[in-house]
Amino acid sequence: MSIRQENGTGRVDDPALGGPPARALEVASTARKNEAPDENQRVELHDLRASSSAPPGELVQRLVDTGLRLHAFRDSDALYKSLIDEAAHFSGAQRVLLVLSGPDGLRIAGSLLPQDEDARTLLHAVTPWLCEAHQTRAASLRHGPDGANPIDQRSCLIAPLIAQHELLGYLYADIEGALGRFQNADRDLLAMLASQAAVALANIRSREGLERKVAERTAELERRANELAIINSIQRGMAAELDFQAIVDLVGDKLRTIFASDNLSIAWFDQQSGVAQMLYTVQHGERVHPMPVRSDPNGPFMRALFANRPVLANSRAEISAWGLRPPEGLAPSLATLTVPIFASDKLLGGITLDSHDPARRFNADDQRLLRTVTATMGIALENARLFNDTKDALHKVEERTAELTEALEYQAAISQVLRVISASPTDVAPVLEVILDCATRLLQPQTAAILRYDGRLIHVAAKRNWTPEATEEARALYPMPADERSITGRAILARKTISMEDTLDDPQYGLAPWAKTGGWRRMISAPMLKDGVPVGTINVGWAEPGQTPQRQIDLLKTFADQAVIAIQNARLFKETQEALERQTATANVLKAISRSTFDLGAVLETLISTA
């Protein structure tokens, strides 16, 4: 039987299914095509699936390696393909379906199906089960149809992909009874694989979103750089004591370079005479000197300029509607954009871009940049105003650069945390240490700590920058109950992030002497919530009192979510190990029974040894 793997674009690939799994699927296809598969074929299918089962130790190591591999992907499509392959390898499934959930509903991201089956048909059939998983947010195992012989039933697994409380999609796998039968251990394995994949997918989406933002901000910075280049050119011209016409020529030449235009003019308006002097005019790349132009002050074109509104016309019909005619000696254009030049609420003139190319039209970006330049020209006649605008533009560039740097540092910290989560599936302590290090590096607090809550008492799990005196006092304070006298207790009881502006001014804060010893005044405590149940908090504190910025609160909440993921991964990993150990023990007992049918003593010895 040929097996195909489909992605969202309809691509078909042969998965790398080697050895017994591939042979098992081939024999399963033969059994399905025959109307009455004989008993030898069924036995062969069961034997093949049993031979493909790896020892527990190898399976655990492979699960860890798979998690690392999934987190290493930087492309969503590659992650989807690898996830489907791994699901098939782990479970020996006959069909695997990866379904993503989005604003537009369910979408098939990839599938592994027999050649004559359709992924959309399978999705339609299992959609009610996906809706149930959406409600329960838990992996499920089904055998059907009900009442049928196990060998005639189909085993179906569904595992939701959940990251940071967000349901990203579902992983579906099934196998026909002729090939085998899924057990609870298979369900747990698929659930853990889906959990790892969800974190990896959320990481990729976050990185892709950041890359889009970086590209947008880079483009914005480039536009601002062009604007600043024009402003700097005008500044240099004024510093060199250039006359008015020289400044106009400087701006005109610079604009032609930026817009790659061979048709540009700068007009200066005399309100008393109502005449516009053409100070700078270039048509088809040649400098020309047209006669002054008298425009109707009550016409739509001049009314727009007096109201400080640009005039944009991208066709001959639109140009005529504005009542525009070219100055004497100039050819009519196919598109035009004019932006007024103002200073102290007074119309001084306008800059016009013309196009004689049918493919060249003007847009909002052209309009925005041209408006910036015209404002600079008006301000160039008022030195103080020019200085203020330049300073504001530089300040915005610095703010955006700082925001971009902070975003990149945050993404690097999250990636570091995810790597440690993947490398330490059974040990929460290293993950908590890295989370605390990242939070300390990005938030720059005076002190920081992660505290665990067992449902009754609060315990210190990790800490940073505690003074010896504060550490000594903590030994007498912890473990402590979750109540209103501590910020940790408040966060646990309220199940939300708590921010205190000054611990020494809060009458309900019962740990003020300890805070004074430790040297922290302003504090944040973010709860670590597992399915809405608090399992601890992350606390940070600063020596100076004051209001905490929202971005710091949001960042700490993100680190709290990462800590919960680490704790959950460790729990799932431990439960999976225990399930595998129980399954291995059962297999050993059954093997002893089958080999020692008439030797009760050997069977009892095996039972005692296994226990």
Side-chain angles (χ1 to χ4, degrees), residues 372-394:
T372 301
V373 176
T374 55
T376 303
M377 279 199 65
I379 294 169
L381 304 177
E382 300 173 353
N383 192 30
R385 196 171 171 186
L386 173 63
F387 174 78
N388 289 336
D389 272 15
T390 305
K391 183 175 65 175
D392 290 344
L394 289 172

Side-chain angles (χ1 to χ4, degrees), residues 45 49-50 105 127 137 140 149 172 178 202 235 242 246 270 274 316 334 338 352 384 410 430 491 549 591 601-602:
L45 290 170
R49 186 164 187 264
T127 295
R137 297 198 165 209
S140 62
N149 225 339
Y172 169 88
Q235 284 183 317
L242 296 177
D270 185 350
R316 288 279 178 83
L334 299 177
T338 300
T352 299
Y410 164 72
K591 186 184 296 184

Side-chain angles (χ1 to χ4, degrees), residues 356-434:
H356 296 269
D357 182 359
R360 177 69 166 103
R361 295 293 184 264
F362 301 110
N363 54 37
D365 288 338
D366 299 324
Q367 179 176 300
R368 183 193 56 79
L369 179 55
L370 199 56
R371 282 182 68 87
T372 301
V373 176
T374 55
T376 303
M377 279 199 65
I379 294 169
L381 304 177
E382 300 173 353
N383 192 30
R385 196 171 171 186
L386 173 63
F387 174 78
N388 289 336
D389 272 15
T390 305
K391 183 175 65 175
D392 290 344
L394 289 172
H395 180 64
K396 289 180 181 179
V397 171
E398 291 173 354
E399 283 185 342
R400 288 174 180 170
T401 302
E403 290 175 0
L404 180 60
T405 302
E406 182 178 299
L408 292 173
E409 290 178 351
Y410 164 72
Q411 183 63 31
I414 294 301
S415 298
Q416 181 182 359
V417 171
L418 292 176
R419 284 196 301 270
V420 177
I421 290 176
S422 301
S424 305
T426 60
D427 191 359
V428 178
V431 181
L432 298 184
E433 292 291 340
V434 171

Side-chain angles (χ1 to χ4, degrees), residues 528-551:
M528 300 185 299
L529 301 176
K530 176 184 171 294
D531 298 329
V533 178
V535 296
T537 65
I538 299 181
N539 296 357
V540 291
W542 291 266
E544 303 81 13
Q547 188 173 6
T548 300
Q550 185 61 40
R551 63 180 182 82

Side-chain angles (χ1 to χ4, degrees), residues 114-383:
Q115 184 65 39
D116 56 349
E117 296 186 11
D118 178 68
R120 286 179 292 275
T121 303
L122 179 59
L123 173 60
H124 179 74
V126 302
T127 295
W129 299 344
L130 301 186
C131 294
E132 180 180 327
H134 176 80
Q135 298 295 329
T136 63
R137 297 198 165 209
S140 62
L141 168 62
R142 288 178 171 81
H143 306 289
D146 293 335
N149 225 339
I151 201 168
D152 296 321
Q153 288 182 327
R154 181 182 295 187
S155 297
C156 304
L157 294 173
I158 294 180
L161 278 69
I162 300 175
Q164 299 181 14
H165 305 294
E166 180 183 1
L167 181 61
L168 304 180
Y170 311 87
L171 188 60
Y172 169 88
D174 71 35
I175 188 170
E176 295 184 3
L179 179 60
R181 188 175 179 87
F182 288 144
Q183 305 296 332
N184 290 338
D186 298 309
R187 178 199 60 198
D188 295 339
L189 277 175
L190 195 70
M192 192 164 188
L193 179 63
S195 176
Q196 292 176 328
V199 175
L201 179 58
N203 189 29
I204 288 177
R205 289 183 176 179
S206 176
R207 181 168 56 246
E208 289 174 347
L210 179 61
E211 289 173 352
R212 285 193 299 269
K213 290 181 180 179
V214 169
E216 292 171 359
R217 291 178 179 177
T218 300
E220 177 64 20
L221 288 175
E222 289 177 353
R223 289 194 295 267
R224 296 299 298 164
N226 289 334
E227 297 169 9
L228 290 175
I230 298 172
I231 295 172
N232 289 334
S233 297
I234 296 173
Q235 284 183 317
R236 288 194 299 270
M238 295 186 66
E241 297 182 351
L242 296 177
D243 59 19
F244 178 73
Q245 183 61 49
I247 294 176
V248 172
D249 292 344
L250 181 68
V251 173
D253 292 341
K254 191 70 177 179
L255 283 175
R256 286 182 55 210
T257 301
I258 292 174
F259 287 98
S261 174
D262 288 335
N263 303 278
L264 185 142
S265 62
I266 300 175
W268 211 251
F269 181 68
D270 185 350
Q271 291 192 4
Q272 291 184 348
S273 63
V275 173
Q277 300 287 338
M278 308 303 294
L279 301 180
Y280 180 96
T281 302
V282 172
Q283 189 172 71
H284 302 306
E286 297 292 334
R287 184 73 179 264
V288 295
H289 301 278
M291 299 295 294
V293 177
R294 183 182 296 275
S295 300
D296 180 6
N298 297 318
F301 177 75
M302 290 305 299
R303 287 204 306 271
L305 295 188
F306 277 121
N308 200 10
R309 297 198 309 269
V311 173
L312 176 61
N314 276 324
S315 68
R316 288 279 178 83
E318 293 177 359
I319 292 173
S320 298
W322 282 103
L324 297 177
R325 295 188 305 272
E328 185 178 350
L330 298 182
S333 60
L334 299 177
T336 184
L337 170 63
T338 300
V339 174
I341 302 173
F342 266 79
S344 302
D345 297 327
K346 179 182 178 182
L347 178 63
L348 300 180
I351 300 178
T352 299
L353 282 171
D354 287 313
S355 171
H356 296 269
D357 182 359
R360 177 69 166 103
R361 295 293 184 264
F362 301 110
N363 54 37
D365 288 338
D366 299 324
Q367 179 176 300
R368 183 193 56 79
L369 179 55
L370 199 56
R371 282 182 68 87
T372 301
V373 176
T374 55
T376 303
M377 279 199 65
I379 294 169
L381 304 177
E382 300 173 353
N383 192 30

Side-chain angles (χ1 to χ4, degrees), residues 574-602:
K574 183 178 179 181
E575 291 177 356
T576 301
Q577 280 185 315
E578 291 174 352
L580 289 173
E581 291 172 358
R582 289 194 297 270
Q583 188 177 21
T584 301
T586 302
N588 290 337
V589 171
L590 293 176
K591 186 184 296 184
I593 292 174
S594 64
R595 291 178 177 177
S596 306
T597 308
F598 302 103
D599 189 355
L600 180 60

Side-chain angles (χ1 to χ4, degrees), residues 7 108 237 331 437:
N7 58 20
I108 299 174
D437 287 339

